Structure formats: C-alpha cells, structure tokens
Amino acid sequence: MKVLLPLFAVIALVVLAVVGVKGAHLNGLFGIVIPYAAFVIFLGGMIARVTGWARSPVPFKIPSTCGQQKSLPWIKADNLESPHNTAGVIGRMALEVLFFRSLFRNTQADYRGGDQKLTYGSEKFLWAAGLAFHWTFLYIFLRHLRFFLEPIPFFVPFLEGLDGLLQIGVPRLFMTDLVILAAVTFLVVRRLMLPQVRYISLPADYFPLFLILGIAISGILMRYFIKVDLVGVKALTMSLVTLSPRVPEGPIGSVFYVHLFLISVLFAYFPFSKLVHMGGVFLSPTRNQANNSREVRHVNPWNYPVKHFTYEEYEDEFREVMIGAGLPVDKQADTPAETAE
Amino acid sequence: MMLYDAGKIIAGLVIFAAFFTVPFWYGGGKTSEMPKLELTAQARQAGQCVEPKERMRQDHMQLLDDWRDAAVRDGNRTYTSSTGKSYTVSLQNTCMDCHSNKDKFCDRCHGYMGVSQLYCWDCHLDPTEEKTVWASTDGNS
C-alpha cells in the first residue's frame, strides 16, 4: 500500500495530462496555467519555508562533529570535522552539499557469516547512487536551459557535447539519461529490498522517486522514441519566460505535456515535501554551526527579558496595606528610614 | 518578523531566486520570436516534402538516419513515402535540391534549439561552401 499508492498517484497524473490534452484539449491549462502556478508555488513556498526556519531560534550550540575541537594550541584540531570558525563551516558545508560527505560514512548492520554474527560494514552504494542522482539531475537541469534561454549560453552546447560524447545512435545518447534512470531505480529498489528501510519508508518517500522516474522516462521517450515538435516546445517555454504566454499553433505531442505536467507537480510539491532539503541542508544547525563553544558563549535567543518583581517593588506596592496589617516593612511610608528610627 | 542571521538568509534567498528565475530576466524583457523558415521557390512549388510537414518537423532526423543506413549500408537508393511516391535516397540530390538554402532553412531551427553538433556536413557538401573546392558532387550523395 505504501508503495502502490504513490505509484498509482504518478500514473494518475500521467493519465490526467494525456486526457487533459488529447481528450479535452486543455493545452492552455497544462501548458501555461499549471506551469506558472507551479513555479510561483515553488518559489514562494521555498522562501516561506526558509524564512520559517530562520525565524526559529536555535537554543543550543549543537554541531555534530567527528573530530577534535579547537582547544589548546598543542592539541591538533580538525577544522574540517569540527570547525571552529566560518571558514571551517563553509568548507565542511561545501563538502557536505557537493559530495555528501556525511553519507560517505554510511554503515549498514547485517547478519553475516556461518554463525550469523551481527556485523557493521561500510555501505557506499547509497552514497554513490545518491551522488550520481543529484549530479545528473543538476546536469540535466542545466542542459534544459536550451529551452529557456535565447540566445543559448555557451556552456549548454558544451554540456550536451560532453553528455553525448559516446556518439551512440541518432540523436546521440546522453549518458546522464542512463545514469539518472539507474540511480533512481537503485534508490527505489533499495527501499523495497532492505527490510529495515522498507519498514520506515512512507508514501512520501516513494512518491518523489516515482515522480522523478516518470519525468525521466517521459523525457527519454521524447528524445529517442516518440518525437515531438521541439521548436514548438521552445516557442511555448520562451513565451512563458518572456511573460507573453501562448500555446503554439501546431501540435506538439502529448508526451511533452505529460513531461511538463509531472515537472509542474514536482515543483509545486517541492516546498512541502522532503525535497525541501535542497534549502534545508543549509539551515541544519548540526552542520552550519561552528564548534566554538569554548571560545564564544552561545546565548539562547529564547532568553527573553524576564519580568522581575523584587521585594522592594513588592513593598512599594503594598507598603500601606502592610503597615496597616502590622507587618514589618523595610521602608516606612513616605518617611526616610533614618527618621523613622 | 524576526530572522536570525538575516543577512545570510536573505543573501541565500536572493541567490536562490536569481538562479531559478534566470530565464525570466536573461532576455531583458524582450519577447522571443519563433524562427521563420524560408522555402525556396522550388520547395514552395513542390508543395510537400517526402513526408507530411508535421512528420518531417518531428522525425526528419530519424528519416535522415534511416536514409543514411539504407543508402550507405544497404545500397538501397529508393524510398517510398507514406503517400506512395518514390524518392531517391540522397541528402544532396533530393533534400538539398529543394532546401538549397541551408542557412535560412536548416540552420534557423537548429540555431534556435542549440542543435550545434550535427555531423551532416562532415561528409556532405555544405551548399553554402564554394563548390569548386570539392570534387564532383555526382554520385557523392
């Protein structure tokens, strides 16, 4: 159920786009309204999420480290594993964002050998597949700029040339197409095969994977198998980004609309799902703080100014009542203490 | 609204928004025109390409690839189109016969779409090039 629900959801989205364009001819809806709406939701949603996190106080200094903190000069500190200044934090964060350094340390517990002993071993496949997936996604994203920029900047043909370097078939096979399919498939299969991972996987874990798989497959279909009118596609995308939206006259092909609709869903879904880690990784307190609690005192921003009510103030308020009840007071009413003696 | 580390957060958000809105400000507010193809008099007179226009628009690359295989590998120089007409399988003698204006036909869309790594003209004669540079085009299709 946890797997089938998101799978059917993605299939339903595909069917919806096909029916909407082929059956109901809602090209304007699927080509203009939904992409615009999705983009606005994405941009606004991401900004809302990030400012939401930025409004949350971080009460404690909680960097998660695995190296020696900077302390005495003769103790060798590791500024990358336990950064004590901004440079160290940036270095560690850059390695985390670009190369998933913490995931590289991933381990897996398993029963191994004849006596089925519990063994902990290094597990690099998740790191490798994750890295391959994220980098190819970025590569493909940049390659798609040829549909959104006019004139096309120099690096886009360069990326395409590098991607099609093997010159297999016509049009040239893009290596990233194969890599992203393999990587996403691995990530799905891993969730299904490992009992522990399957146990903790939710529909929200499968849905983005199936959605991205759908996007990749529809894109691959368009490039290699069911050709579409690419000039029409670019006319549409350029009309969107120049804010003069217009669906071109000729038929483009419904695979394109499926592709576009799934991407729109991905964009709109992005800020409200686990995918928001694109922004969230930068705001992880365990990663973006310097481990300098011995150098700088971390003041809890929760520490609001506490309202005091001292005994002096108490007596000032109730002095007359206290005197009237015969209670001892430090200061007499309207009379300096000395003269009262 | 109180933002902690407001400077860093706003700088990050500005970079994020700038990156994702590149297409919107890259053109500087100009609208983009779809490329217009110019047909030669001969092409206009013929009225139809070897296959219907919509198919040619989407599948010309596939067709050329099939033609290349048919002519070069199988020695088959006759193509029967879906309309039943027969054509000689030859880029230079059939396609380029009508579409002799490469720079106003092929290149317009290919330039618009960034299709820069075509290797048609590695072997075939580019019609805009000086013909005398090459040996006879006869039989070299």
Side-chain angles (χ1 to χ4, degrees), chain A residues 89-109:
Chain A
V89 169
I90 290 172
R92 188 163 87 128
M93 190 58 108
L95 286 173
E96 181 64 29
V97 170
L98 299 175
F99 303 111
F100 308 170
R101 196 150 187 259
S102 64
L103 188 58
F104 192 68
R105 289 185 239 269
N106 187 35
T107 56
Q108 193 186 352

Side-chain angles (χ1 to χ4, degrees), chain A residues 200-211:
Chain A
I200 60 165
S201 294
L202 298 170
D205 294 311
Y206 293 107
F207 181 69
L209 287 172
F210 290 141
L211 190 62

Side-chain angles (χ1 to χ4, degrees), chain B residues 102-114:
Chain B
K102 171 176 170 287
D103 53 333
K104 286 171 185 164
F105 189 77
C106 308
D107 293 350
R108 289 234 167 129
C109 286
H110 289 158
Y112 183 64
M113 294 310 301

